[in-house]
Amino acid sequence: MMNSMIIGKYVPGDSFIHRLDPRTKLITMFIYVFIVFLANNGWTYGLLTFFTCILLFLSRIRLSFFVKGLKPILWVIVFTFLLHVLLTKEGHVVFQWLGMEVYDQGIQQGAFISLRFLLLIVVTTLLTLTTTPIEVTDGMESLLSPLKKWNIPVHELALMMSISLRFIPTLMEETEKIMKAQVARGVDFSDGPLSERMKAMTALLVPLFISAFKRAEELAVAMEVRGYRGGKDRTKWRELTWGRIDTAFMILLGFLAIVLWLLRS
């Protein structure tokens, strides 16, 4: 299951989304995180869902691949929905079961919050699927470049974020390997009391942390050996170019934000 996660992976392609400037995609993600909280009714959530589906279509990434990669986190969305359904006590009672009352407002709120969470995951995952870690680093550094006036290490911050995204799939694969090795040695992660399962997780977390620190040290040594130096004197092989297509996309995103504001109830 962990091997199928797509968060942090990059899928090569030549789609409309792939060709966008990384700064455009980063700005889109930040604005999208803001405007998704403007949605508060069926029309606004429907418009956001339609816009997200258009992005998926323009990325030319197979829907089956995308759905399969999001399966490991679907339980979080389901849990969020059930939490709102069971704890919200507003509106009219829809049905009762085992002494618990389910209200229509709870179902509606649970559906909206779960959909909001899903849309945020889809858009952020789409960023990593269509943008290489190097492009993310360059785009983030370019957007944060005004902070250099206050001696903030913008390049180092962008590099750390890029490396973190790059190693998410690697750590997932490492976790799956360690888990299979521990299961082969008789460790049970699924059955038994909660206290026993928590102890079993130690057999997973300790080697995982050791492996993560070892990889970080190897990466640091490799960068030092190759003479890597970040900072203002470092040149770039690929220069970022903001084109008309990026401007048009930003205008479309601004129009979407205005429409969402007008459709709010």
Side-chain angles (χ1 to χ4, degrees):
M1 180 181 292
M2 292 184 180
N3 210 14
S4 64
M5 287 194 68
I6 58 177
I7 299 177
K9 292 184 179 179
Y10 169 69
V11 178
D14 190 35
S15 66
F16 173 82
I17 304 297
H18 282 82
R19 292 194 300 269
L20 285 175
D21 189 281
R23 292 170 294 183
T24 303
K25 287 182 273 190
L26 288 169
I27 294 173
T28 299
M29 186 187 69
F30 293 138
I31 295 179
Y32 190 91
V33 170
F34 171 74
I35 65 176
V36 77
F37 289 96
L38 294 177
N40 61 353
N41 55 47
W43 288 104
T44 51
Y45 276 105
L47 182 60
L48 277 175
T49 303
F50 176 75
F51 177 75
T52 305
C53 291
I54 292 297
L55 293 181
L56 283 174
F57 174 76
L58 294 177
S59 68
R60 295 182 182 177
I61 296 175
R62 297 193 315 273
L63 184 61
S64 58
F65 171 78
F66 206 91
V67 173
K68 181 181 178 181
L70 293 180
K71 278 184 179 179
I73 58 175
L74 287 180
W75 67 271
V76 180
I77 299 175
V78 174
F79 176 77
T80 303
F81 174 75
L82 294 177
L83 195 65
H84 284 85
V85 168
L86 297 177
L87 297 183
T88 302
K89 305 297 181 182
E90 299 178 358
H92 303 287
V93 177
V94 178
F95 64 88
Q96 295 179 340
W97 182 65
L98 297 178
M100 295 184 297
E101 297 179 341
V102 176
Y103 293 78
D104 57 347
Q105 289 296 323
I107 297 176
Q108 177 179 316
Q109 186 175 353
F112 283 167
I113 298 300
S114 300
L115 180 59
R116 177 185 297 174
F117 187 40
L118 177 62
L119 293 176
L120 288 174
I121 293 175
V122 169
V123 171
T124 52
T125 304
L126 195 61
L127 169 69
T128 60
L129 289 176
T130 59
T131 315
T132 64
I134 297 299
E135 290 176 338
V136 173
T137 303
D138 292 341
M140 186 67 67
E141 183 179 0
S142 176
L143 292 175
L144 298 179
S145 57
L147 298 178
K148 293 180 180 179
K149 297 179 180 179
W150 291 278
N151 295 323
I152 296 178
V154 173
H155 178 79
E156 286 75 10
L157 291 174
L159 181 63
M160 286 189 295
M161 184 176 298
S162 174
I163 292 175
S164 300
L165 291 174
R166 164 63 183 83
F167 276 95
I168 288 177
T170 304
L171 290 177
M172 291 299 174
E173 293 176 1
E174 191 73 20
T175 302
E176 188 172 16
K177 290 179 182 179
I178 297 174
M179 184 176 293
K180 289 180 179 179
Q182 298 293 2
V183 170
R185 291 173 173 84
V187 179
D188 194 349
F189 293 100
S190 57
D191 296 329
L194 181 61
S195 58
E196 294 296 328
R197 281 183 285 174
M198 293 296 292
K199 291 180 181 178
M201 289 300 295
T202 306
L204 173 65
L205 295 177
V206 171
L208 180 62
F209 273 103
I210 294 175
S211 175
F213 284 119
K214 182 179 179 182
R215 288 182 181 275
E217 184 179 9
E218 291 175 351
L219 178 62
V221 171
M223 294 172 68
E224 288 288 340
V225 169
R226 289 166 174 79
Y228 178 83
R229 294 290 184 274
K232 60 181 180 179
D233 296 328
R234 182 176 174 84
T235 59
K236 290 182 173 58
W237 182 36
R238 294 186 178 90
E239 295 290 339
L240 300 179
T241 55
W242 184 283
R244 296 179 180 177
I245 188 174
D246 300 289
T247 303
F249 192 81
M250 287 292 96
I251 294 175
L252 176 63
L253 190 63
F255 179 74
L256 174 66
I258 294 174
V259 173
L260 283 174
W261 179 264
L262 294 176
L263 291 177
R264 282 171 54 89
S265 58

